[in-house]
């Protein structure tokens, strides 16, 4: 059973993996980097709450000093906050709602921390379960052979990998999803394009604000279960999110 860890704990112990039905995930990898965007219209953004600005402030203590994230182009519904969680997954489970562009870390007492995400187009076509088998701080990024074939000039120079840093498309943290012992190449990671949070993007992975992926990284251990819902299956109706929560001050937890 996956153990839920509160803020600030960094697990290092692993255990035997349970099987997970994620055979289609490899098709979604696409290197975790946007090559084009299907952003669509972004709703008008309300004035920022001070707590929102605080959540996404600069972090100079990181290995590569992390600048503040520009959240001015993102709807406030996608800022990190605590919400009611109506489903039955146990505390510690990560649930991705690709249709509504949210990721939930289930907590106790019917609550969850909700994060906004950007979702790859391929990710909208897949649902299932996996486990976080590996976690990496400031990971290296390597484009897939498919990405290099599609855009050789852009991705070819990185065929042997891009070093960690502020321009690396995986950002400051990456969570690697596995099907048993097999790396699916599916990732939850940071981004160099914060304006894409809350949108569909070209890659198959799940991207988060850099400060949010750091927050999630610190709160989930290796072997955490990840559930990806169908595009038409939602934790919360998006209309209810828009009308009931956009005026609330986000919880930085």
């Amino acid at each position: 059973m996956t153990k839920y860890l509160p803020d600030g704990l960094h697990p290092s112990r692993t255990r035997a993996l349970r099987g997970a039905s994620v055979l289609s995930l490899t098709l979604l990898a696409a290197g975790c980097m946007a090559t084009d965007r299907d952003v669509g219209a972004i709703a008008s953004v309300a004035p920022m709450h001070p707590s929102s600005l605080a959540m996404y402030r600069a972090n100079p203590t990181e290995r590569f000093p992390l600048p503040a994230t520009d959240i001015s182009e993102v709807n406030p519904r996608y800022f990190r906050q605590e919400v009611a969680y109506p489903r039955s997954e146990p505390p510690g489970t990560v649930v991705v709602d690709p249709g509504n562009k949210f990721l939930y870390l289930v907590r106790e007492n019917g609550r969850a921390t909700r994060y906004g995400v950007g979702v790859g187009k391929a990710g909208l076509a897949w649902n299932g379960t996996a486990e976080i088998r590996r976690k990496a701080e400031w990971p290296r990024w390597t484009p897939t052979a498919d990405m290099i074939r599609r855009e050789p000039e852009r991705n070819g120079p990185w065929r042997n990998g891009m070093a960690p840093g502020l321009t690396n498309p995986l950002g400051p943290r990456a969570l690697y999803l596995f099907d048993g012992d097999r790396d699916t190449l599916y990732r939850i990671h940071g981004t160099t394009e914060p304006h894409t949070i809350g949108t569909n993007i070209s890659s198959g992975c799940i991207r988060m604000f850099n400060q949010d992926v750091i927050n999630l990284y610190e709160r989930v251990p290796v072997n955490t279960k990840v559930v990806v819902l169908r595009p038409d299956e939602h934790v919360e109706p998006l209309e209810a999110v828009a009308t009931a929560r956009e005026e609330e001050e986000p919880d930085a937890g």
Side-chain angles (χ1 to χ4, degrees):
M1 182 175 182
T2 300
K3 183 179 179 182
Y4 170 67
L5 296 184
D7 288 356
L9 294 185
H10 295 266
S12 59
R13 185 175 58 85
T14 61
R15 59 176 173 77
L17 284 173
R18 298 186 302 273
S21 58
V22 289
L23 296 179
S24 300
L25 278 174
T26 303
L27 301 176
L28 310 183
C32 301
M33 181 177 179
T35 56
D36 54 46
R37 289 187 289 122
D38 180 18
V39 176
I42 296 177
S44 59
V45 176
M48 301 298 173
H49 288 292
S51 61
S52 298
L53 297 174
M55 282 192 296
Y56 300 112
R57 65 178 177 267
N59 186 345
T61 65
E62 280 287 319
R63 174 183 170 189
F64 300 95
L66 192 66
T69 294
D70 180 2
I71 56 176
S72 63
E73 295 184 53
V74 181
N75 193 298
R77 72 178 65 157
Y78 297 110
F79 300 164
R80 182 169 80 242
Q81 57 192 283
E82 183 180 337
V83 299
Y85 188 77
R87 291 171 56 93
S88 60
E89 284 84 9
T93 306
V94 170
V95 178
V96 181
D97 181 340
N100 280 347
K101 315 299 186 297
F102 291 128
L103 181 151
Y104 298 81
L105 174 59
V106 183
R107 301 171 71 168
E108 295 84 359
N109 302 316
R111 307 294 291 175
T113 300
R114 189 182 73 197
Y115 307 84
V117 298
V119 180
K121 295 176 183 177
L124 294 172
W126 179 86
N127 64 89
T129 60
E131 284 188 345
I132 296 170
R133 179 69 182 274
R134 178 187 167 213
K135 298 167 58 177
E137 297 189 18
W138 292 102
R140 194 173 175 83
W141 172 75
T142 303
T144 63
D146 211 30
M147 287 189 68
I148 294 172
R149 280 194 298 271
R150 286 200 313 266
E151 292 189 291
E153 292 185 4
R154 180 176 184 178
N155 298 323
W158 310 113
R159 66 180 67 251
N160 295 319
M162 180 187 289
L166 296 177
T167 60
N168 187 299
L170 294 185
R173 303 288 189 275
L175 306 173
Y176 298 76
L177 304 192
F178 276 69
D179 172 13
D181 290 329
R182 182 178 65 85
D183 183 359
T184 66
L185 305 180
Y186 198 71
R187 315 286 189 241
I188 299 170
H189 60 85
T191 183
T192 58
E193 300 176 311
H195 58 278
T196 63
I197 299 303
T199 73
N200 295 336
I201 51 180
S202 66
S203 305
C205 298
I206 301 295
R207 61 173 64 181
M208 306 175 70
F209 288 127
N210 288 334
Q211 288 84 351
D212 281 353
V213 78
I214 291 172
N215 181 272
L216 180 67
Y217 181 99
E218 293 177 346
R219 299 172 70 179
V220 296
V222 169
N223 299 313
T224 291
K225 181 180 179 180
V226 179
V227 178
V228 181
L229 303 180
R230 300 188 309 269
D232 61 347
E233 183 182 12
H234 306 299
V235 174
E236 307 169 89
L238 189 59
E239 295 79 7
V241 172
T243 58
R245 292 198 168 90
E246 282 183 13
E247 294 184 359
E248 294 183 5
E249 184 169 350
D251 180 354

